[in-house]
Amino acid sequence: MTPKEVIEFAKKNKARVVDLRFLDFPGLWQHFTVPMSELGESSFEEGFGFDGSSIRGWQPIHASDMLVVPDAATAKMDPFFEVPTLVLIGNIVDPITLESYTRDPRNIAKKAEAYLKSTGIGDTSYFGPEAEFFIFDDIRFESSNHRAFYEIDSVEGIWNSGREECPNLGYKPRHKQGYFPVPPMDKFQDIRTEMLLTLEQLGIDVECQHHEVATAGQAEIDMRFKPLVEMGDQLMWFKYVLKNVAHKYGHAVTFMPKPLFNDNGTGMHTHCSIWKGDKPLFAGDKYAGVSQEALYAIGGILKHCRALCAFTNPTTNSYKRLVPGFEAPVNLAYSSRNRSAAVRIPMYSPSPKAKRIEFRTPDPSCNGYLAFSAMLMAIIDGIENKIDPGDPLDKDIYGLPPEELAEIPSAPGSLEEALSALKEDHEFMMKGDVFTQDVIDMWIEYKTDNEVNDVKLRPHPHEFFLYFDI
């Protein structure tokens, strides 16, 4: 849409207010609302002012003024607000220099797309994330100086098989047996379908929805692949819609990677491809029907994976999922069909247009704009430098003898390790000024000070079980 078309769209839908949205540095949507009378065609150039010092990881107090400039192409009507509300996603701009803000995640994603075109490798990068999540009935937690706990409940939780529910009708998925059961075992079919239909109402293409492996309401809804920035926008709408539909029915959705002990965690397998004009760059006659460029792209991801994890798996909880010896893809290898490899080449369709690579290590706690941009930069680096990914690994990784397994490199074992890897390996991200040194430094500083150290300093409840009687 053009700015003029946006205003006509708002009038047609009887919008009374405009909600302006943007992403903070770690990855949560922020917003403020103005009356429709404040939105004119000039607003799409002049923007709206706000306090950038109150946004996590952004401006200091002495340089707090910022502008959010709405992008006309992002206009949608909010499906949840009582008052008809036009939503516009904005780009962040410095009010003095009028330059795009380096720490605005959407700006980084736009620069990544522009850099791809500048290399001549391709015109468009497509991303298709499979974001898993949990639907819980109740969640309570506390972390204070003298007490720490969390407690999760779900009508689907197998731990409730003996609970008095007046009556308890059973049908609760056992641990690791929640994949694809029909109702009454699957108790969230209607809610997931409403999530799917709400996404479609917003113009977001959805491929399927289903129950996932874990007990207690683990689920997945897959969006159809889109270009990088558009998918970054859609991932934010995705999280917003799922949380609000669940909330409407008295449930909570979480994208936390590992909320349950001893059951499957939540991943975000991400499909990637590059096209040049109408040609899919990753289709060819090499292994599994991919091109040499696709193999080089895999080489780039595997080479830089430890650094990528700082953005694709950016929480301390992410590494409760990425544990060697379990199902999570921690081993840095590639394969066709083999889901235990970090990079997989899906074999669902022989069509050249369907050829892509699937990076299985990421999880949905990530900031999509940053994660997809970092992945694209690793792919570009692999192609430009002809990085050989080595031989594919078509064996069961978990059945390999220890001496053979020891030769396969592994993803980081903690957020601290991932940040350390990023500190040592980020030059490939800085090409084309996509990620700046300021962004890398602030990411490492913010994550270390606010997450890594905060978790390291606190006693863990299980430590009392292990050590209190010493």
Side-chain angles (χ1 to χ4, degrees):
M1 291 190 205
T2 64
K4 182 178 180 180
E5 289 171 337
V6 170
I7 294 172
E8 291 172 354
F9 172 77
K11 289 178 180 177
K12 178 182 176 182
N13 287 278
K14 300 180 180 178
R16 297 180 62 188
V17 293
V18 184
D19 207 46
L20 299 160
R21 298 186 186 176
F22 56 93
L23 206 64
D24 70 5
F25 206 38
L28 286 180
W29 240 359
Q30 310 294 307
H31 79 130
F32 62 91
T33 306
V34 300
M36 273 301 304
S37 59
E38 290 294 305
L39 184 71
E41 291 186 43
S42 62
S43 303
F44 295 87
E45 294 182 3
E46 297 172 359
F48 297 84
F50 70 98
D51 178 5
S53 68
S54 297
I55 305 299
R56 295 182 300 171
W58 278 15
Q59 291 292 86
I61 193 69
H62 64 272
S64 60
D65 289 351
M66 303 292 287
L67 292 175
V68 55
V69 180
D71 183 340
T74 66
K76 298 182 187 298
M77 294 298 295
D78 189 278
F80 301 106
F81 291 158
E82 182 178 345
V83 173
T85 301
L86 174 69
V87 176
L88 292 167
I89 298 174
N91 301 307
I92 307 305
V93 171
D94 185 292
I96 306 300
T97 65
L98 299 182
E99 293 181 352
S100 298
Y101 186 43
T102 57
R103 295 185 208 165
D104 173 15
R106 196 168 190 266
N107 176 41
I108 292 170
K110 290 172 67 179
K111 289 191 291 182
E113 284 190 325
Y115 179 67
L116 171 64
K117 291 181 180 179
S118 75
T119 65
I121 291 171
D123 305 317
T124 309
S125 57
Y126 288 107
F127 287 83
E130 299 175 355
E132 297 170 343
F133 56 97
F134 276 90
I135 303 171
F136 292 141
D137 298 343
D138 190 61
I139 171 69
R140 297 184 299 118
F141 52 87
E142 181 180 334
S143 180
S144 59
N145 288 350
H146 71 292
R147 186 166 74 163
F149 78 92
Y150 69 89
E151 185 169 344
I152 294 166
D153 205 5
S154 168
V155 68
E156 273 198 0
I158 188 61
W159 59 82
N160 284 325
S161 60
R163 181 172 67 177
E164 183 60 60
E165 294 182 347
C166 302
N168 188 326
L169 299 177
Y171 297 111
K172 302 179 191 301
R174 289 175 284 273
H175 290 295
K176 300 182 181 295
Q177 294 186 29
Y179 200 61
F180 282 17
V182 297
M185 188 74 85
D186 178 0
K187 296 180 173 53
F188 298 112
Q189 167 69 15
D190 288 339
I191 289 178
R192 293 196 310 271
T193 294
E194 183 168 335
M195 293 169 175
L196 181 157
L197 294 175
T198 304
L199 289 166
E200 286 196 329
Q201 174 190 329
L202 289 162
I204 295 172
D205 296 326
V206 180
E207 294 183 335
C208 71
Q209 62 92 345
H210 59 83
H211 204 289
E212 257 297 340
V213 174
T215 188
Q218 191 182 34
E220 178 176 313
I221 299 177
D222 296 336
M223 293 180 284
R224 186 168 175 77
F225 63 89
K226 296 292 179 184
L228 193 159
V229 172
E230 185 177 351
M231 183 52 76
D233 293 343
Q234 285 194 179
L235 185 59
M236 297 316 302
W237 272 111
F238 180 87
K239 292 184 175 183
Y240 177 75
V241 166
L242 270 57
K243 289 177 181 179
N244 278 280
V245 170
H247 189 266
K248 173 180 168 183
Y249 291 101
H251 300 287
V253 157
T254 181
F255 294 94
M256 188 175 174
K258 189 70 173 179
L260 293 183
F261 169 63
N262 231 15
D263 211 335
N264 280 42
T266 290
M268 191 180 77
H269 308 148
T270 303
H271 299 254
C272 322
S273 66
I274 294 177
W275 286 55
K276 190 168 188 177
D278 59 359
K279 179 186 177 183
L281 198 67
F282 286 177
D285 59 0
K286 302 296 184 183
Y287 172 79
V290 300
S291 64
Q292 183 63 61
E293 287 88 352
L295 292 176
Y296 289 147
I298 292 170
I301 287 179
L302 296 180
K303 176 182 178 180
H304 298 298
C305 183
R306 292 179 63 83
L308 290 179
C309 284
F311 290 111
T312 62
N313 304 80
T315 68
T316 60
N317 185 255
S318 297
Y319 300 88
K320 301 292 194 293
R321 167 180 170 259
L322 295 180
V323 178
F326 293 88
E327 291 185 17
V330 299
N331 297 288
L332 305 186
Y334 74 101
S335 174
S336 67
R337 306 181 71 180
N338 188 345
R339 294 170 186 265
S340 60
V343 177
R344 186 174 77 96
I345 300 170
M347 302 297 291
Y348 296 125
S349 171
S351 170
K353 293 182 178 181
K355 280 301 171 188
R356 74 266 193 196
I357 61 178
E358 177 190 6
F359 186 25
R360 296 177 62 80
T361 306
D363 69 58
S365 68
C366 71
N367 178 328
Y369 298 107
L370 299 183
F372 302 150
S373 298
M375 290 164 60
L376 178 59
M377 297 305 288
I379 287 169
I380 292 172
D381 189 61
I383 294 172
E384 286 188 324
N385 292 295
K386 296 181 167 57
I387 298 174
D388 184 1
D391 295 328
L393 187 63
D394 289 329
K395 304 174 185 178
D396 178 5
I397 290 176
Y398 304 113
L400 293 177
E403 60 273 14
E404 195 171 344
L405 187 61
E407 296 179 2
I408 303 173
S410 182
S414 68
L415 178 57
E416 189 170 21
E417 281 185 38
L419 293 171
S420 178
L422 177 63
K423 188 173 184 178
E424 298 300 319
D425 178 27
H426 59 260
E427 291 300 321
F428 71 98
M429 297 184 190
M430 297 178 67
K431 293 177 181 177
D433 202 38
V434 175
F435 286 80
T436 61
Q437 192 66 51
D438 165 67
V439 167
I440 300 295
D441 290 344
M442 177 53 71
W443 188 260
I444 294 171
E445 178 185 332
Y446 181 89
K447 287 285 175 178
T448 300
D449 292 348
N450 295 281
E451 299 177 31
V452 171
N453 289 344
D454 261 14
V455 171
K456 284 170 66 175
L457 287 167
R458 284 169 166 75
H460 189 284
H462 195 62
E463 290 177 314
F464 286 84
F465 175 82
L466 293 173
Y467 308 127
F468 187 75
D469 58 345
I470 288 176

